[in-house]
Amino acid sequence: MLPLLIASQIREADAYTIAHEPIASIDLMERASKAFVGWFINHFPDKNQAISVYCGTGNNGGDGLAIARMLDDHQFKKINVKVARFSDKSTPDFNTNLERLKKTAISIAEIQRGSGFPGEDCQVIIDALLGTGLNKPLEGDYKRLVDHLNSLDKTVVAVDMPTGFFADGEMPHGSGILNADLVITFQQPKINFLLPESGPYIKCWEAVNIGIDECFSHSLHSPYYAVEEKDIRKMLKPRHRFSNKGSYGHTLIVAGQPETMGAALLSASASVYAGAGLTTACVPQSGLTALNSYMPEIMAVVRHDMELPQIEWDKFSAIGIGPGLGKDELAVELITDIFANYKKPMVIDADALNLLSVHRELWRSIPENSILTPHMKEFDRLFGDHENWWQRIQTGIQKAKEHAVFILLKNDYTIVISPAGKVHFNTTSNPAMAAGGMGDVLTGIISALLAQQYSSEDACILGAYLHGKAGDELALPNKINVVLPSQVAARVPLTMAKLLA
């Protein structure tokens, strides 16, 4: 897993690398700037494109000065630099790079405190004003400059961080932030890049390796991690000869009402595709024909009106409950019955979560290490309203520990929170997957992984990754705008095969 460090830990890792590689701080800045330029020139190959580099007087500004010099070395012909002199202070590495830049033919202008801003004819702006050290919203001259640049409708490429953006923690409402079309960030994504609050300010980002000591980064014991493909390859279990359907568990999906059978069908079929040896759907009598027609591989436990179904609990290796289940009294009785009789970890989704938000007494009966899979609104119904996603993560850490459950908070970068306080960000999925029923498929996949004896933590991490990766394989190669949940479910076996290859 890739540790995701908060801003103070990033500075600590930089300092450790400088001291123990060893490498001078100015040379580490040079290495970072070279990594930035290598990615930048792939995106902006036109060397006649006019580019303005806006620099503060700290180390982020020092990066900007080095980047301007390197672009000049690469024969970019129309580079100019504008230094925001809003402070009497400047860092030694900024000063060194400024002296180096003065030896080139690049135009350098200074913007003084309280002054107006120069005209801007360049279409591309490189933002190197402020980096990860920001700990309060912009104000004064920096706020004025950011507002001015945002008004120009230019293509903005940020060095490590957009000016005014917070690397982690809560983003204050109304903060002045420079909108970036691309962020080329150093070593790792910043945690807030992975939260929806970044959406209005960052169109895309790319992390470039600058050689920060990885062992030291791991030693900092950040609770935040990004899931990488190599992690998934290690987790997945290959199938072996002489195994049989009994080797891969039996999933029970408790879902569906007469008018919401689609949710049950999607969830149960995803369990089949994700490798459960047997899958049974507990559905209403009226849904039986639809179930048999949709996928004959799925068995059924039939629910009759006003009667609890007779379930042989010992038959099932894992249970997924909630998609399309409804919130009536029978649904309450059913979930109560399941919690009373089944003590293995289960997946709790959709209407089952909504029932938990109303019937708080049910929390006492949830089996340890069960998996809750809320989207944002379900999360807030369970745990109260939140102003931002950082607050949701902190609440999730607290509640996962309090209830001894895993919380999978759905998002562009789905967040898995463990009872031990670890927070894993999934790194697959794409906007083409924004369709009703996609969460039902995820529930089926995770339930099947539990049935195959994956731990709750691994089932969450694997399930989110496989779900998103299947969607990526369908949508991204041909730039498809929409993929359907049923397509994602059917893709999962091929996705798993590629990862196991």
Side-chain angles (χ1 to χ4, degrees), residues 314-369:
D314 293 341
K315 286 174 56 175
F316 300 106
S317 313
I319 291 179
I321 179 170
L325 186 64
K327 294 174 281 188
D328 58 18
E329 284 303 312
L330 186 58
V332 176
E333 290 182 30
L334 181 56
I335 193 173
T336 302
D337 190 48
I338 291 171
F339 286 178
N341 288 285
Y342 195 81
K343 299 305 180 183
K344 297 177 186 177
M346 64 179 71
V347 184
I348 304 170
D349 185 32
D351 282 334
L353 295 173
N354 292 326
L355 290 173
L356 281 177
S357 70
V358 175
H359 301 276
R360 297 286 175 177
E361 70 280 2
L362 292 172
W363 281 96
R364 296 192 296 270
S365 306
I366 296 175
E368 190 171 294
N369 292 321

Side-chain angles (χ1 to χ4, degrees), residues 1 229-237 462 499:
M1 302 289 176
E229 183 174 304
K230 63 184 180 182
D231 305 315
I232 300 303
R233 290 182 180 274
K234 289 178 183 177
M235 285 183 196
L236 275 175
K237 304 173 186 177
L462 277 169
L499 291 166

Side-chain angles (χ1 to χ4, degrees), residues 229 233 473 491 493-501:
E229 183 174 304
R233 290 182 180 274
E473 291 173 355
R491 180 76 184 191
L494 181 57
T495 299
M496 295 176 80
K498 287 182 177 181
L499 291 166
L500 285 165

Side-chain angles (χ1 to χ4, degrees), residues 322-476:
L325 186 64
K327 294 174 281 188
D328 58 18
E329 284 303 312
L330 186 58
V332 176
E333 290 182 30
L334 181 56
I335 193 173
T336 302
D337 190 48
I338 291 171
F339 286 178
N341 288 285
Y342 195 81
K343 299 305 180 183
K344 297 177 186 177
M346 64 179 71
V347 184
I348 304 170
D349 185 32
D351 282 334
L353 295 173
N354 292 326
L355 290 173
L356 281 177
S357 70
V358 175
H359 301 276
R360 297 286 175 177
E361 70 280 2
L362 292 172
W363 281 96
R364 296 192 296 270
S365 306
I366 296 175
E368 190 171 294
N369 292 321
S370 288
I371 299 166
L372 281 60
T373 60
H375 56 58
M376 180 186 77
K377 290 183 179 179
E378 290 166 342
F379 186 92
D380 283 5
R381 282 195 287 269
L382 286 169
F383 304 123
D385 290 338
H386 295 77
E387 293 182 2
N388 54 60
W389 279 76
W390 186 264
Q391 288 182 1
R392 290 188 182 94
I393 292 173
Q394 306 316 307
T395 295
I397 293 170
Q398 174 191 341
K399 295 299 182 180
K401 180 178 181 180
E402 179 183 336
H403 297 291
V405 296
F406 289 81
I407 298 174
L408 185 148
L409 179 52
K410 298 169 188 173
N411 181 15
D412 229 26
Y413 298 92
T414 286
I415 305 162
V416 174
I417 305 172
S418 77
K422 290 185 178 180
V423 180
H424 292 93
F425 288 85
N426 184 51
T427 53
T428 58
S429 82
N430 62 86
M433 298 174 68
M438 206 61 79
D440 304 324
V441 169
L442 179 59
T443 292
I445 293 170
I446 297 173
S447 300
L449 294 169
L450 280 181
Q452 293 168 78
Q453 301 305 307
Y454 286 94
S455 69
S456 295
E457 183 169 60
D458 286 356
C460 285
I461 294 169
L462 277 169
Y465 191 94
L466 292 170
H467 181 254
K469 185 70 170 175
D472 288 347
E473 291 173 355
L474 288 165
L476 298 184

Side-chain angles (χ1 to χ4, degrees), residues 83-88 110-118 139-145:
V83 176
R85 285 281 184 186
F86 299 153
S87 169
D88 295 330
E110 293 197 351
I111 307 170
Q112 300 296 331
R113 283 178 286 195
S115 68
F117 304 122
E139 56 187 21
D141 288 313
Y142 273 113
K143 176 69 163 56
R144 287 195 310 114
L145 178 55

Side-chain angles (χ1 to χ4, degrees), residues 93-173:
D93 290 344
F94 170 88
N95 294 332
T96 299
N97 268 319
L98 184 59
E99 292 306 311
R100 290 176 179 178
L101 190 66
K102 287 178 178 177
K103 296 176 182 178
T104 72
I106 293 173
S107 168
I108 305 172
E110 293 197 351
I111 307 170
Q112 300 296 331
R113 283 178 286 195
S115 68
F117 304 122
E120 185 53 78
D121 297 327
C122 298
Q123 184 55 41
V124 176
I125 289 174
I126 294 177
D127 166 25
L129 289 166
L130 295 171
T132 58
L134 188 70
N135 58 13
K136 62 180 181 179
L138 292 183
E139 56 187 21
D141 288 313
Y142 273 113
K143 176 69 163 56
R144 287 195 310 114
L145 178 55
V146 163
D147 290 344
H148 168 70
L149 294 176
N150 278 337
S151 73
L152 299 180
D153 193 28
K154 306 292 186 180
T155 298
V156 175
V157 183
V159 179
D160 199 30
M161 291 267 296
T163 292
F165 195 83
F166 285 25
D168 49 77
E170 295 186 41
M171 296 282 293
H173 291 299

